[in-house]
Amino acid sequence: EVQLVESGGGLVQPGRSLRLSCAASGFTFDDHAMHWVRQAPGKGLEWVASISWHSATIAYAGSVRGRFTISRDNAKNSLHLQMNSVRAEDTAFYYCVKDKGADGYWHFDLWGRGTLVTVSS
Amino acid sequence: QSVLTQPPSVSGAPGQRISISCTGTSSNIGAHSDVNWYQQFPGTAPKLLIYDNNNRPSGVPDRFSGSKSGTSASLAITGLQAEDEATYYCQSYDSSLSGSYVFGTGTKVTVL
């Protein structure tokens, strides 16, 4: 089955760190760029970060640049998001998303179910 | 923050045609970046509905269609059905923001 399954969400205190993971299956993982997209409860979608198939091209939204790090392990079909110095405004559902293309810039054709990150003391 | 503007809500009776607008700028939609549309039901992840302005993935009914002109795009639903009640988001790429993918503000469709 073609799917993306996120894990690692939970409650974290402001200023602390959290690492999200995404397990991919049912498609050739290293043929595609991958993204993280988040959605605060009751709010709209916000792109967070992207990584090309070979990790050569990485980009971040301005709101997380310098605090979050996206990475992938093609041997393990996995995507990660290291979240450091988290803030209350980082509270959201985080979706692992597959790009149609290898370098990105196409469209988001497969979404995981999401994992909830809550930043609160 | 959302760079593409959509109406907060649109409603229509079953069988009617509705349209959702997505307004961008010269650095995203107007810069020849393709527009994609996603459908999201409450409590679930978004799903790709229209890609590259006017293409439907396999399994998406042909009552959904997309178009793009200048700095705007539109999603049309003809023959509106109760199961179409959801929130719809447009998405494109913005060349003025380093490596940035941008989403619309989202439109809640209500079937009367």
Side-chain angles (χ1 to χ4, degrees), chain A residues 35 37 39 43-47 50 59-60 65 95 99 103-109 111-113, chain B residues 1-2 36 38 40 43-48 50-52 89 91 93 98-105:
Chain A
H35 309 266
V37 174
Q39 184 173 37
K43 302 298 184 181
L45 301 171
E46 179 188 17
W47 168 78
S50 68
Y60 299 95
R65 191 174 297 125
Y95 295 103
D99 196 291
D103 293 312
Y105 314 118
W106 286 64
H107 45 271
F108 306 152
D109 65 353
W111 296 63
R113 291 188 172 185
Chain B
Q1 69 281 9
S2 298
N36 309 303
Y38 303 88
Q40 186 179 33
T44 69
K47 183 191 83 168
L48 179 66
I50 296 288
Y51 66 93
D52 296 352
Y89 294 92
Q91 176 261 316
Y93 182 84
S98 179
S100 183
Y101 301 80
V102 291
F103 284 96
T105 48

mmCIF file of all heavy atoms in Angstrom, chain A residues 35 37 39 43-47 50 59-60 65 95 99 103-109 111-113, chain B residues 1-2 36 38 40 43-48 50-52 89 91 93 98-105:
data_model
loop_
_atom_site.group_PDB
_atom_site.id
_atom_site.type_symbol
_atom_site.label_atom_id
_atom_site.label_comp_id
_atom_site.label_asym_id
_atom_site.label_seq_id
_atom_site.Cartn_x
_atom_site.Cartn_y
_atom_site.Cartn_z
ATOM 1 N N HIS A 35 8.323 16.765 1.598
ATOM 2 C CA HIS A 35 8.036 18.008 2.290
ATOM 3 C C HIS A 35 7.415 17.739 3.656
ATOM 4 O O HIS A 35 6.852 16.673 3.904
ATOM 5 C CB HIS A 35 7.025 18.849 1.497
ATOM 6 C CG HIS A 35 7.364 19.061 0.063
ATOM 7 N ND1 HIS A 35 8.050 20.167 -0.388
ATOM 8 C CD2 HIS A 35 7.085 18.311 -1.024
ATOM 9 C CE1 HIS A 35 8.176 20.090 -1.705
ATOM 10 N NE2 HIS A 35 7.608 18.983 -2.123
ATOM 11 N N VAL A 37 4.486 19.811 5.812
ATOM 12 C CA VAL A 37 3.466 20.864 5.777
ATOM 13 C C VAL A 37 2.730 20.804 7.115
ATOM 14 O O VAL A 37 2.438 19.723 7.609
ATOM 15 C CB VAL A 37 2.470 20.645 4.620
ATOM 16 C CG1 VAL A 37 1.319 21.659 4.692
ATOM 17 C CG2 VAL A 37 3.182 20.746 3.268
ATOM 18 N N GLN A 39 -0.365 22.435 9.936
ATOM 19 C CA GLN A 39 -1.680 23.071 10.032
ATOM 20 C C GLN A 39 -2.029 23.247 11.499
ATOM 21 O O GLN A 39 -2.275 22.268 12.204
ATOM 22 C CB GLN A 39 -2.725 22.216 9.324
ATOM 23 C CG GLN A 39 -4.109 22.823 9.271
ATOM 24 C CD GLN A 39 -5.066 21.996 8.402
ATOM 25 O OE1 GLN A 39 -5.015 20.763 8.389
ATOM 26 N NE2 GLN A 39 -5.933 22.665 7.673
ATOM 27 N N LYS A 43 -6.865 26.090 11.546
ATOM 28 C CA LYS A 43 -6.264 27.072 10.635
ATOM 29 C C LYS A 43 -5.921 26.449 9.284
ATOM 30 O O LYS A 43 -6.235 25.281 9.026
ATOM 31 C CB LYS A 43 -4.991 27.653 11.267
ATOM 32 C CG LYS A 43 -5.228 28.317 12.619
ATOM 33 C CD LYS A 43 -6.160 29.495 12.519
ATOM 34 C CE LYS A 43 -6.309 30.192 13.855
ATOM 35 N NZ LYS A 43 -7.253 31.363 13.777
ATOM 36 N N GLY A 44 -5.286 27.237 8.427
ATOM 37 C CA GLY A 44 -4.941 26.785 7.091
ATOM 38 C C GLY A 44 -3.609 26.047 7.025
ATOM 39 O O GLY A 44 -2.944 25.821 8.035
ATOM 40 N N LEU A 45 -3.230 25.697 5.802
ATOM 41 C CA LEU A 45 -2.015 24.936 5.564
ATOM 42 C C LEU A 45 -0.810 25.850 5.423
ATOM 43 O O LEU A 45 -0.904 26.934 4.838
ATOM 44 C CB LEU A 45 -2.166 24.104 4.287
ATOM 45 C CG LEU A 45 -3.315 23.103 4.271
ATOM 46 C CD1 LEU A 45 -3.484 22.511 2.884
ATOM 47 C CD2 LEU A 45 -3.083 22.011 5.300
ATOM 48 N N GLU A 46 0.330 25.419 5.942
ATOM 49 C CA GLU A 46 1.579 26.173 5.836
ATOM 50 C C GLU A 46 2.696 25.213 5.476
ATOM 51 O O GLU A 46 2.982 24.272 6.222
ATOM 52 C CB GLU A 46 1.909 26.897 7.141
ATOM 53 C CG GLU A 46 3.201 27.675 7.074
ATOM 54 C CD GLU A 46 3.663 28.248 8.418
ATOM 55 O OE1 GLU A 46 3.163 27.783 9.467
ATOM 56 O OE2 GLU A 46 4.515 29.150 8.419
ATOM 57 N N TRP A 47 3.358 25.455 4.348
ATOM 58 C CA TRP A 47 4.531 24.674 3.983
ATOM 59 C C TRP A 47 5.650 24.987 4.963
ATOM 60 O O TRP A 47 5.873 26.144 5.321
ATOM 61 C CB TRP A 47 4.947 24.999 2.551
ATOM 62 C CG TRP A 47 6.292 24.466 2.181
ATOM 63 C CD1 TRP A 47 6.616 23.187 1.843
ATOM 64 C CD2 TRP A 47 7.511 25.214 2.123
ATOM 65 N NE1 TRP A 47 7.950 23.085 1.586
ATOM 66 C CE2 TRP A 47 8.535 24.320 1.742
ATOM 67 C CE3 TRP A 47 7.849 26.549 2.361
ATOM 68 C CZ2 TRP A 47 9.859 24.710 1.588
ATOM 69 C CZ3 TRP A 47 9.162 26.942 2.201
ATOM 70 C CH2 TRP A 47 10.154 26.027 1.827
ATOM 71 N N SER A 50 11.314 21.451 2.648
ATOM 72 C CA SER A 50 11.361 20.480 1.564
ATOM 73 C C SER A 50 12.778 19.984 1.356
ATOM 74 O O SER A 50 13.747 20.673 1.689
ATOM 75 C CB SER A 50 10.815 21.077 0.269
ATOM 76 O OG SER A 50 11.685 22.087 -0.211
ATOM 77 N N ALA A 59 15.052 23.490 1.501
ATOM 78 C CA ALA A 59 14.492 24.824 1.690
ATOM 79 C C ALA A 59 13.572 24.836 2.903
ATOM 80 O O ALA A 59 12.973 23.812 3.258
ATOM 81 C CB ALA A 59 13.726 25.267 0.442
ATOM 82 N N TYR A 60 13.473 26.023 3.517
ATOM 83 C CA TYR A 60 12.659 26.180 4.715
ATOM 84 C C TYR A 60 11.787 27.417 4.610
ATOM 85 O O TYR A 60 12.158 28.421 3.986
ATOM 86 C CB TYR A 60 13.542 26.316 5.958
ATOM 87 C CG TYR A 60 14.428 25.140 6.244
ATOM 88 C CD1 TYR A 60 15.749 25.115 5.803
ATOM 89 C CD2 TYR A 60 13.945 24.035 6.951
ATOM 90 C CE1 TYR A 60 16.565 24.030 6.056
ATOM 91 C CE2 TYR A 60 14.756 22.944 7.211
ATOM 92 C CZ TYR A 60 16.066 22.947 6.765
ATOM 93 O OH TYR A 60 16.877 21.867 7.008
ATOM 94 N N ARG A 65 13.143 28.686 9.640
ATOM 95 C CA ARG A 65 14.548 28.642 9.193
ATOM 96 C C ARG A 65 15.474 28.935 10.369
ATOM 97 O O ARG A 65 15.271 29.881 11.125
ATOM 98 C CB ARG A 65 14.759 29.640 8.064
ATOM 99 C CG ARG A 65 16.113 29.501 7.341
ATOM 100 C CD ARG A 65 16.176 30.442 6.148
ATOM 101 N NE ARG A 65 15.167 30.099 5.150
ATOM 102 C CZ ARG A 65 14.268 30.985 4.698
ATOM 103 N NH1 ARG A 65 14.261 32.216 5.147
ATOM 104 N NH2 ARG A 65 13.383 30.614 3.773
ATOM 105 N N TYR A 95 2.269 17.299 8.628
ATOM 106 C CA TYR A 95 2.037 16.289 7.599
ATOM 107 C C TYR A 95 3.318 16.020 6.806
ATOM 108 O O TYR A 95 4.007 16.972 6.385
ATOM 109 C CB TYR A 95 0.966 16.757 6.623
ATOM 110 C CG TYR A 95 -0.411 16.919 7.214
ATOM 111 C CD1 TYR A 95 -0.919 18.175 7.514
ATOM 112 C CD2 TYR A 95 -1.219 15.805 7.455
ATOM 113 C CE1 TYR A 95 -2.187 18.337 8.044
ATOM 114 C CE2 TYR A 95 -2.493 15.955 7.990
ATOM 115 C CZ TYR A 95 -2.968 17.214 8.284
ATOM 116 O OH TYR A 95 -4.227 17.354 8.804
ATOM 117 N N ASP A 99 6.266 14.694 -3.029
ATOM 118 C CA ASP A 99 6.202 15.508 -4.243
ATOM 119 C C ASP A 99 6.169 14.588 -5.464
ATOM 120 O O ASP A 99 6.780 13.523 -5.453
ATOM 121 C CB ASP A 99 7.415 16.421 -4.310
ATOM 122 C CG ASP A 99 7.259 17.567 -5.298
ATOM 123 O OD1 ASP A 99 7.240 17.311 -6.513
ATOM 124 O OD2 ASP A 99 7.151 18.714 -4.834
ATOM 125 N N ASP A 103 12.977 16.706 -7.680
ATOM 126 C CA ASP A 103 13.599 17.908 -7.134
ATOM 127 C C ASP A 103 12.583 18.856 -6.511
ATOM 128 O O ASP A 103 12.959 19.934 -6.053
ATOM 129 C CB ASP A 103 14.378 18.637 -8.235
ATOM 130 C CG ASP A 103 15.592 17.842 -8.703
ATOM 131 O OD1 ASP A 103 16.341 17.374 -7.832
ATOM 132 O OD2 ASP A 103 15.766 17.682 -9.919
ATOM 133 N N GLY A 104 11.327 18.489 -6.513
ATOM 134 C CA GLY A 104 10.283 19.353 -5.997
ATOM 135 C C GLY A 104 9.687 20.166 -7.125
ATOM 136 O O GLY A 104 9.873 19.875 -8.301
ATOM 137 N N TYR A 105 8.967 21.220 -6.766
ATOM 138 C CA TYR A 105 8.385 22.163 -7.710
ATOM 139 C C TYR A 105 7.238 21.580 -8.533
ATOM 140 O O TYR A 105 6.776 22.207 -9.475
ATOM 141 C CB TYR A 105 9.435 22.730 -8.674
ATOM 142 C CG TYR A 105 10.701 23.163 -7.983
ATOM 143 C CD1 TYR A 105 11.918 22.546 -8.278
ATOM 144 C CD2 TYR A 105 10.689 24.172 -7.017
ATOM 145 C CE1 TYR A 105 13.080 22.934 -7.639
ATOM 146 C CE2 TYR A 105 11.851 24.553 -6.381
ATOM 147 C CZ TYR A 105 13.044 23.932 -6.702
ATOM 148 O OH TYR A 105 14.192 24.305 -6.062
ATOM 149 N N TRP A 106 6.763 20.376 -8.154
ATOM 150 C CA TRP A 106 5.633 19.791 -8.849
ATOM 151 C C TRP A 106 4.397 19.976 -7.976
ATOM 152 O O TRP A 106 3.994 21.112 -7.726
ATOM 153 C CB TRP A 106 5.912 18.323 -9.171
ATOM 154 C CG TRP A 106 6.893 18.123 -10.286
ATOM 155 C CD1 TRP A 106 8.206 18.480 -10.282
ATOM 156 C CD2 TRP A 106 6.653 17.516 -11.553
ATOM 157 N NE1 TRP A 106 8.788 18.145 -11.466
ATOM 158 C CE2 TRP A 106 7.870 17.554 -12.260
ATOM 159 C CE3 TRP A 106 5.533 16.957 -12.160
ATOM 160 C CZ2 TRP A 106 7.993 17.023 -13.558
ATOM 161 C CZ3 TRP A 106 5.658 16.435 -13.446
ATOM 162 C CH2 TRP A 106 6.864 16.474 -14.123
ATOM 163 N N HIS A 107 3.785 18.917 -7.528
ATOM 164 C CA HIS A 107 2.639 19.030 -6.656
ATOM 165 C C HIS A 107 2.728 17.944 -5.595
ATOM 166 O O HIS A 107 3.503 16.996 -5.701
ATOM 167 C CB HIS A 107 1.323 18.902 -7.447
ATOM 168 C CG HIS A 107 1.320 17.769 -8.440
ATOM 169 N ND1 HIS A 107 1.755 17.940 -9.735
ATOM 170 C CD2 HIS A 107 0.947 16.483 -8.324
ATOM 171 C CE1 HIS A 107 1.623 16.784 -10.379
ATOM 172 N NE2 HIS A 107 1.155 15.899 -9.551
ATOM 173 N N PHE A 108 1.921 18.127 -4.555
ATOM 174 C CA PHE A 108 1.937 17.238 -3.403
ATOM 175 C C PHE A 108 0.920 16.123 -3.631
ATOM 176 O O PHE A 108 -0.273 16.324 -3.385
ATOM 177 C CB PHE A 108 1.615 18.028 -2.138
ATOM 178 C CG PHE A 108 2.503 19.239 -1.911
ATOM 179 C CD1 PHE A 108 2.016 20.335 -1.209
ATOM 180 C CD2 PHE A 108 3.797 19.289 -2.377
ATOM 181 C CE1 PHE A 108 2.816 21.455 -0.983
ATOM 182 C CE2 PHE A 108 4.604 20.394 -2.161
ATOM 183 C CZ PHE A 108 4.108 21.485 -1.466
ATOM 184 N N ASP A 109 1.382 14.964 -4.078
ATOM 185 C CA ASP A 109 0.428 13.944 -4.517
ATOM 186 C C ASP A 109 0.136 12.854 -3.503
ATOM 187 O O ASP A 109 -0.688 11.976 -3.764
ATOM 188 C CB ASP A 109 0.846 13.344 -5.864
ATOM 189 C CG ASP A 109 2.161 12.568 -5.792
ATOM 190 O OD1 ASP A 109 2.821 12.604 -4.735
ATOM 191 O OD2 ASP A 109 2.511 11.932 -6.797
ATOM 192 N N TRP A 111 -0.206 12.458 0.946
ATOM 193 C CA TRP A 111 -0.093 13.050 2.281
ATOM 194 C C TRP A 111 -0.224 11.961 3.338
ATOM 195 O O TRP A 111 -1.014 11.027 3.194
ATOM 196 C CB TRP A 111 -1.208 14.072 2.512
ATOM 197 C CG TRP A 111 -1.187 15.261 1.618
ATOM 198 C CD1 TRP A 111 -1.337 15.283 0.247
ATOM 199 C CD2 TRP A 111 -1.025 16.621 2.022
ATOM 200 N NE1 TRP A 111 -1.271 16.575 -0.210
ATOM 201 C CE2 TRP A 111 -1.078 17.418 0.845
ATOM 202 C CE3 TRP A 111 -0.837 17.260 3.252
ATOM 203 C CZ2 TRP A 111 -0.952 18.817 0.882
ATOM 204 C CZ3 TRP A 111 -0.716 18.645 3.287
ATOM 205 C CH2 TRP A 111 -0.772 19.400 2.107
ATOM 206 N N GLY A 112 0.535 12.102 4.429
ATOM 207 C CA GLY A 112 0.338 11.238 5.575
ATOM 208 C C GLY A 112 -0.854 11.722 6.378
ATOM 209 O O GLY A 112 -1.458 12.743 6.049
ATOM 210 N N ARG A 113 -1.180 11.007 7.439
ATOM 211 C CA ARG A 113 -2.319 11.384 8.282
ATOM 212 C C ARG A 113 -1.981 12.510 9.241
ATOM 213 O O ARG A 113 -2.864 13.146 9.811
ATOM 214 C CB ARG A 113 -2.811 10.181 9.078
ATOM 215 C CG ARG A 113 -3.478 9.109 8.238
ATOM 216 C CD ARG A 113 -4.106 8.048 9.107
ATOM 217 N NE ARG A 113 -4.904 7.115 8.326
ATOM 218 C CZ ARG A 113 -5.639 6.149 8.840
ATOM 219 N NH1 ARG A 113 -5.682 5.982 10.151
ATOM 220 N NH2 ARG A 113 -6.337 5.344 8.058
ATOM 221 N N GLN B 1 2.543 32.242 6.706
ATOM 222 C CA GLN B 1 1.327 32.983 6.386
ATOM 223 C C GLN B 1 0.928 32.718 4.929
ATOM 224 O O GLN B 1 1.764 32.410 4.091
ATOM 225 C CB GLN B 1 1.516 34.484 6.619
ATOM 226 C CG GLN B 1 2.455 35.177 5.653
ATOM 227 C CD GLN B 1 3.920 34.942 5.983
ATOM 228 O OE1 GLN B 1 4.255 34.123 6.831
ATOM 229 N NE2 GLN B 1 4.817 35.632 5.308
ATOM 230 N N SER B 2 -0.386 32.797 4.668
ATOM 231 C CA SER B 2 -0.904 32.510 3.344
ATOM 232 C C SER B 2 -0.644 33.676 2.413
ATOM 233 O O SER B 2 -0.888 34.824 2.757
ATOM 234 C CB SER B 2 -2.397 32.222 3.430
ATOM 235 O OG SER B 2 -2.658 31.085 4.223
ATOM 236 N N ASN B 36 -2.148 24.214 -7.943
ATOM 237 C CA ASN B 36 -2.711 22.924 -7.548
ATOM 238 C C ASN B 36 -3.808 23.163 -6.527
ATOM 239 O O ASN B 36 -3.794 24.171 -5.815
ATOM 240 C CB ASN B 36 -1.626 22.030 -6.959
ATOM 241 C CG ASN B 36 -0.416 21.929 -7.860
ATOM 242 O OD1 ASN B 36 -0.521 21.526 -9.031
ATOM 243 N ND2 ASN B 36 0.747 22.335 -7.353
ATOM 244 N N TYR B 38 -6.268 21.299 -3.380
ATOM 245 C CA TYR B 38 -6.386 20.196 -2.432
ATOM 246 C C TYR B 38 -7.736 20.278 -1.738
ATOM 247 O O TYR B 38 -8.248 21.362 -1.465
ATOM 248 C CB TYR B 38 -5.256 20.242 -1.404
ATOM 249 C CG TYR B 38 -3.888 20.210 -2.052
ATOM 250 C CD1 TYR B 38 -3.279 21.387 -2.440
ATOM 251 C CD2 TYR B 38 -3.247 19.010 -2.320
ATOM 252 C CE1 TYR B 38 -2.054 21.381 -3.090
ATOM 253 C CE2 TYR B 38 -2.018 18.985 -2.960
ATOM 254 C CZ TYR B 38 -1.429 20.177 -3.343
ATOM 255 O OH TYR B 38 -0.217 20.155 -3.996
ATOM 256 N N GLN B 40 -9.902 18.982 1.655
ATOM 257 C CA GLN B 40 -9.708 18.477 3.015
ATOM 258 C C GLN B 40 -11.040 18.378 3.752
ATOM 259 O O GLN B 40 -11.764 19.364 3.881
ATOM 260 C CB GLN B 40 -8.755 19.373 3.805
ATOM 261 C CG GLN B 40 -8.419 18.810 5.183
ATOM 262 C CD GLN B 40 -7.446 19.684 5.953
ATOM 263 O OE1 GLN B 40 -7.445 20.900 5.837
ATOM 264 N NE2 GLN B 40 -6.592 19.046 6.754
ATOM 265 N N GLY B 43 -10.867 16.662 10.145
ATOM 266 C CA GLY B 43 -10.173 15.582 10.826
ATOM 267 C C GLY B 43 -9.350 14.675 9.942
ATOM 268 O O GLY B 43 -8.839 13.652 10.413
ATOM 269 N N THR B 44 -9.203 15.035 8.684
ATOM 270 C CA THR B 44 -8.408 14.200 7.776
ATOM 271 C C THR B 44 -7.349 15.041 7.078
ATOM 272 O O THR B 44 -7.396 16.267 7.097
ATOM 273 C CB THR B 44 -9.284 13.530 6.713
ATOM 274 O OG1 THR B 44 -9.781 14.520 5.805
ATOM 275 C CG2 THR B 44 -10.463 12.793 7.342
ATOM 276 N N ALA B 45 -6.395 14.355 6.440
ATOM 277 C CA ALA B 45 -5.345 15.046 5.703
ATOM 278 C C ALA B 45 -5.867 15.560 4.370
ATOM 279 O O ALA B 45 -6.819 15.010 3.811
ATOM 280 C CB ALA B 45 -4.180 14.086 5.464
ATOM 281 N N PRO B 46 -5.255 16.612 3.858
ATOM 282 C CA PRO B 46 -5.638 17.094 2.518
ATOM 283 C C PRO B 46 -5.361 16.026 1.460
ATOM 284 O O PRO B 46 -4.529 15.128 1.661
ATOM 285 C CB PRO B 46 -4.724 18.312 2.313
ATOM 286 C CG PRO B 46 -4.340 18.736 3.694
ATOM 287 C CD PRO B 46 -4.239 17.456 4.474
ATOM 288 N N LYS B 47 -6.062 16.167 0.339
ATOM 289 C CA LYS B 47 -5.894 15.245 -0.784
ATOM 290 C C LYS B 47 -5.770 16.061 -2.056
ATOM 291 O O LYS B 47 -6.503 17.049 -2.242
ATOM 292 C CB LYS B 47 -7.099 14.301 -0.883
ATOM 293 C CG LYS B 47 -6.995 13.244 -1.967
ATOM 294 C CD LYS B 47 -8.316 12.534 -2.183
ATOM 295 C CE LYS B 47 -9.227 13.305 -3.098
ATOM 296 N NZ LYS B 47 -10.410 12.522 -3.553
ATOM 297 N N LEU B 48 -4.873 15.653 -2.942
ATOM 298 C CA LEU B 48 -4.710 16.350 -4.218
ATOM 299 C C LEU B 48 -5.968 16.215 -5.054
ATOM 300 O O LEU B 48 -6.455 15.102 -5.276
ATOM 301 C CB LEU B 48 -3.505 15.772 -4.969
ATOM 302 C CG LEU B 48 -3.200 16.381 -6.333
ATOM 303 C CD1 LEU B 48 -2.767 17.846 -6.196
ATOM 304 C CD2 LEU B 48 -2.110 15.572 -7.042
ATOM 305 N N ILE B 50 -6.672 18.814 -7.968
ATOM 306 C CA ILE B 50 -6.325 19.307 -9.298
ATOM 307 C C ILE B 50 -4.837 19.639 -9.290
ATOM 308 O O ILE B 50 -4.354 20.254 -8.336
ATOM 309 C CB ILE B 50 -7.116 20.589 -9.661
ATOM 310 C CG1 ILE B 50 -8.613 20.311 -9.757
ATOM 311 C CG2 ILE B 50 -6.587 21.203 -10.970
ATOM 312 C CD1 ILE B 50 -9.037 19.508 -10.980
ATOM 313 N N TYR B 51 -4.105 19.240 -10.333
ATOM 314 C CA TYR B 51 -2.699 19.598 -10.417
ATOM 315 C C TYR B 51 -2.383 20.271 -11.749
ATOM 316 O O TYR B 51 -3.111 20.077 -12.741
ATOM 317 C CB TYR B 51 -1.798 18.382 -10.182
ATOM 318 C CG TYR B 51 -1.877 17.305 -11.256
ATOM 319 C CD1 TYR B 51 -0.986 17.301 -12.321
ATOM 320 C CD2 TYR B 51 -2.828 16.285 -11.185
ATOM 321 C CE1 TYR B 51 -1.040 16.327 -13.294
ATOM 322 C CE2 TYR B 51 -2.905 15.311 -12.148
ATOM 323 C CZ TYR B 51 -2.006 15.323 -13.208
ATOM 324 O OH TYR B 51 -2.064 14.349 -14.180
ATOM 325 N N ASP B 52 -1.309 21.051 -11.723
ATOM 326 C CA ASP B 52 -0.880 21.766 -12.942
ATOM 327 C C ASP B 52 -2.042 22.526 -13.584
ATOM 328 O O ASP B 52 -2.298 22.408 -14.794
ATOM 329 C CB ASP B 52 -0.261 20.796 -13.936
ATOM 330 C CG ASP B 52 1.014 20.151 -13.406
ATOM 331 O OD1 ASP B 52 1.493 20.584 -12.333
ATOM 332 O OD2 ASP B 52 1.515 19.224 -14.048
ATOM 333 N N TYR B 89 -8.109 24.195 -0.772
ATOM 334 C CA TYR B 89 -6.935 25.060 -0.742
ATOM 335 C C TYR B 89 -6.256 25.081 -2.113
ATOM 336 O O TYR B 89 -6.057 24.026 -2.719
ATOM 337 C CB TYR B 89 -5.909 24.555 0.274
ATOM 338 C CG TYR B 89 -6.345 24.620 1.719
ATOM 339 C CD1 TYR B 89 -6.975 23.534 2.326
ATOM 340 C CD2 TYR B 89 -6.099 25.760 2.483
ATOM 341 C CE1 TYR B 89 -7.372 23.587 3.650
ATOM 342 C CE2 TYR B 89 -6.494 25.819 3.807
ATOM 343 C CZ TYR B 89 -7.123 24.745 4.380
ATOM 344 O OH TYR B 89 -7.512 24.800 5.704
ATOM 345 N N GLN B 91 -2.647 26.131 -4.184
ATOM 346 C CA GLN B 91 -1.221 26.097 -3.814
ATOM 347 C C GLN B 91 -0.397 26.377 -5.062
ATOM 348 O O GLN B 91 -0.730 25.952 -6.158
ATOM 349 C CB GLN B 91 -0.869 24.727 -3.230
ATOM 350 C CG GLN B 91 0.590 24.512 -2.902
ATOM 351 C CD GLN B 91 1.322 23.739 -3.971
ATOM 352 O OE1 GLN B 91 0.823 22.745 -4.486
ATOM 353 N NE2 GLN B 91 2.516 24.184 -4.333
ATOM 354 N N TYR B 93 3.883 28.082 -6.247
ATOM 355 C CA TYR B 93 5.272 28.300 -5.857
ATOM 356 C C TYR B 93 5.589 29.773 -6.012
ATOM 357 O O TYR B 93 5.213 30.398 -7.007
ATOM 358 C CB TYR B 93 6.194 27.460 -6.736
ATOM 359 C CG TYR B 93 7.655 27.583 -6.383
ATOM 360 C CD1 TYR B 93 8.215 26.821 -5.371
ATOM 361 C CD2 TYR B 93 8.476 28.478 -7.059
ATOM 362 C CE1 TYR B 93 9.554 26.944 -5.032
ATOM 363 C CE2 TYR B 93 9.807 28.610 -6.730
ATOM 364 C CZ TYR B 93 10.348 27.847 -5.724
ATOM 365 O OH TYR B 93 11.656 27.977 -5.376
ATOM 366 N N SER B 98 12.516 32.554 -0.881
ATOM 367 C CA SER B 98 13.496 31.510 -1.142
ATOM 368 C C SER B 98 12.925 30.113 -0.982
ATOM 369 O O SER B 98 12.613 29.680 0.123
ATOM 370 C CB SER B 98 14.692 31.699 -0.206
ATOM 371 O OG SER B 98 15.656 30.669 -0.419
ATOM 372 N N GLY B 99 12.784 29.416 -2.111
ATOM 373 C CA GLY B 99 12.318 28.032 -2.068
ATOM 374 C C GLY B 99 10.966 27.860 -1.440
ATOM 375 O O GLY B 99 10.742 26.911 -0.699
ATOM 376 N N SER B 100 10.046 28.755 -1.707
ATOM 377 C CA SER B 100 8.807 28.744 -0.961
ATOM 378 C C SER B 100 7.597 28.267 -1.741
ATOM 379 O O SER B 100 7.286 28.778 -2.803
ATOM 380 C CB SER B 100 8.512 30.141 -0.439
ATOM 381 O OG SER B 100 7.360 30.142 0.350
ATOM 382 N N TYR B 101 6.933 27.304 -1.159
ATOM 383 C CA TYR B 101 5.649 26.850 -1.657
ATOM 384 C C TYR B 101 4.581 27.588 -0.856
ATOM 385 O O TYR B 101 4.701 27.711 0.358
ATOM 386 C CB TYR B 101 5.507 25.334 -1.457
ATOM 387 C CG TYR B 101 6.582 24.535 -2.154
ATOM 388 C CD1 TYR B 101 7.846 24.409 -1.588
ATOM 389 C CD2 TYR B 101 6.346 23.915 -3.382
ATOM 390 C CE1 TYR B 101 8.846 23.697 -2.227
ATOM 391 C CE2 TYR B 101 7.336 23.190 -4.018
ATOM 392 C CZ TYR B 101 8.585 23.085 -3.436
ATOM 393 O OH TYR B 101 9.569 22.375 -4.075
ATOM 394 N N VAL B 102 3.563 28.074 -1.527
ATOM 395 C CA VAL B 102 2.561 28.872 -0.841
ATOM 396 C C VAL B 102 1.169 28.274 -1.018
ATOM 397 O O VAL B 102 0.850 27.718 -2.080
ATOM 398 C CB VAL B 102 2.572 30.337 -1.323
ATOM 399 C CG1 VAL B 102 3.846 31.024 -0.870
ATOM 400 C CG2 VAL B 102 2.450 30.414 -2.854
ATOM 401 N N PHE B 103 0.369 28.411 0.025
ATOM 402 C CA PHE B 103 -1.008 27.938 0.009
ATOM 403 C C PHE B 103 -1.978 29.098 0.046
ATOM 404 O O PHE B 103 -1.640 30.205 0.487
ATOM 405 C CB PHE B 103 -1.279 27.044 1.229
ATOM 406 C CG PHE B 103 -0.695 25.672 1.126
ATOM 407 C CD1 PHE B 103 0.541 25.393 1.703
ATOM 408 C CD2 PHE B 103 -1.369 24.656 0.470
ATOM 409 C CE1 PHE B 103 1.088 24.124 1.622
ATOM 410 C CE2 PHE B 103 -0.830 23.377 0.387
ATOM 411 C CZ PHE B 103 0.409 23.111 0.959
ATOM 412 N N GLY B 104 -3.195 28.830 -0.390
ATOM 413 C CA GLY B 104 -4.267 29.790 -0.245
ATOM 414 C C GLY B 104 -4.816 29.756 1.165
ATOM 415 O O GLY B 104 -4.471 28.875 1.968
ATOM 416 N N THR B 105 -5.666 30.698 1.454
ATOM 417 C CA THR B 105 -6.243 30.841 2.792
ATOM 418 C C THR B 105 -7.307 29.794 3.093
ATOM 419 O O THR B 105 -7.677 29.608 4.241
ATOM 420 C CB THR B 105 -6.853 32.236 2.952
ATOM 421 O OG1 THR B 105 -7.668 32.535 1.806
ATOM 422 C CG2 THR B 105 -5.759 33.296 3.057
#
